[in-house]
Amino acid sequence: TISPQDAHNLAERAGIDGAKVQRFFQTMRGRVRKYLLRLPNPVVTKRSKRSDEAAVVPEALSERDVQPLSCPAGGLVHDKVPAFVEVMKQARRIGERMMLLRVVRNTKEMPLLEELVQHGALKELTKWVIEAKDAQATLLLMGI
């Protein structure tokens, strides 16, 4: 939020009313929030109409969540490909995606890689690239 003093200073410089400046910033915050909510992986959460508190954000994926899907060598377990792709679809944060990328990179068996593609992992990776490019997440792009 813009402080009343900052709004007054900007209004004075622009030759307009301070309330108009505050309304402008309020409108712009609303537009930015609406835009961010329309992104494939929202950066913000919707706010409740009754309170100013954000909705509950889902818990981040952890190594514990991925461990049953990967073998000791770090690659993917044979019968866990569909579950792994579903976890990929749930991953929203860069750290989660990097952790899943390590599993994919450590998977050396061609039949498993082909099964990943058949279950939609390549499509999901493509989404990740587009989202990382839009968000300028170079760390994830380098990992892919």
Side-chain angles (χ1 to χ4, degrees), residues 34-84:
K34 189 183 283 188
Y35 170 77
L36 291 175
L37 285 169
R38 284 194 319 235
L39 292 175
N41 296 320
V43 180
V44 295
T45 57
K46 290 185 178 180
R47 294 191 178 269
S48 165
K49 296 245 186 222
R50 293 184 186 165
S51 73
D52 204 27
E53 294 179 23
V56 177
V57 177
E59 215 175 285
L61 291 172
S62 69
E63 292 283 344
R64 262 191 329 239
D65 300 318
V66 177
Q67 189 208 7
L69 306 172
S70 59
C71 65
L76 194 56
V77 175
H78 284 279
D79 59 342
K80 301 293 184 181
V81 172
F84 184 80

